[in-house]
Amino acid sequence: MTPTLIWIAVALFAIGLYLSWTAGRLDRLHARIDATRAALDAQLLRRASVAQELATSGVLDPAASIVLYEAAHAARQAEEEHREVAESELSQALRAVFGDAPQVEAVREAPGGVAAAEELAHAVRRVPMARRFHNDAVRAARALRRHRKVRWFRLAGHAPFPLAFEMDDEPPEALADRATG
């Protein structure tokens, strides 16, 4: 009877060790989601700030300035449940204002315009990358959370189910062509 108890104890220990490893992995994925979401938020804020700064610089025509400023302001002030829509609207405004190369060239010709255009080009290029990293982390956590062992043993604890950030992040062609590194 003693060898049976030893084997049961070893099996329980192995199962516990495996569940602990899985819970740790899930915890690391949730931490990765938090980190990638913070990076995404920083890139979105940077894009909105640069767009807002450019809109108030006097380089753009008044109509484009108003459209860009309002979209950037709405993106910066949006509450979490409306953030994806506000950021998509900023992307659409950026495409409307900087959809053609002559507008970008006009910005570049203004004093300080080269730096502003480059900064905006970098900002609009980094948003899709940050969003992709975040959504990849969410996808990995969701895949692990779907396993039966995670659900049955409640290894996710009280952590909310991770949600992807879905938005229109296509950069304007005239700016995307200018982004280098």
Side-chain angles (χ1 to χ4, degrees), residues 6-24:
I6 292 173
W7 281 112
I8 290 173
V10 167
L12 287 176
F13 178 76
I15 290 170
L17 190 64
Y18 178 72
L19 291 176
S20 175
W21 176 80
T22 303

Side-chain angles (χ1 to χ4, degrees), residues 15-97:
I15 290 170
L17 190 64
Y18 178 72
L19 291 176
S20 175
W21 176 80
T22 303
R25 180 172 170 228
L26 189 59
D27 187 50
R28 288 188 301 276
L29 283 172
H30 281 243
R32 186 171 142 211
I33 289 171
D34 291 341
T36 58
R37 181 56 191 246
L40 175 61
D41 287 342
Q43 292 304 322
L44 291 171
L45 181 62
R46 179 172 183 242
R47 181 181 76 153
S49 297
V50 171
Q52 203 169 19
E53 184 179 313
L54 194 57
T56 59
S57 68
V59 176
L60 302 172
D61 64 89
S65 292
I66 289 171
V67 167
L68 194 58
Y69 180 83
E70 287 180 355
H73 182 71
R76 289 183 70 177
Q77 301 299 319
E79 294 187 21
E80 194 59 37
E81 59 269 4
H82 304 293
R83 182 103 186 261
E84 293 172 351
V85 173
E87 294 294 346
S88 294
E89 289 172 356
L90 177 57
S91 294
Q92 293 166 2
L94 285 166
R95 280 197 307 275
V97 172

Side-chain angles (χ1 to χ4, degrees), residues 126-137:
R126 288 183 177 143
V127 166
M129 288 188 297
R131 189 175 73 87
R132 193 173 319 119
F133 290 146
H134 173 70
N135 288 348
D136 286 347

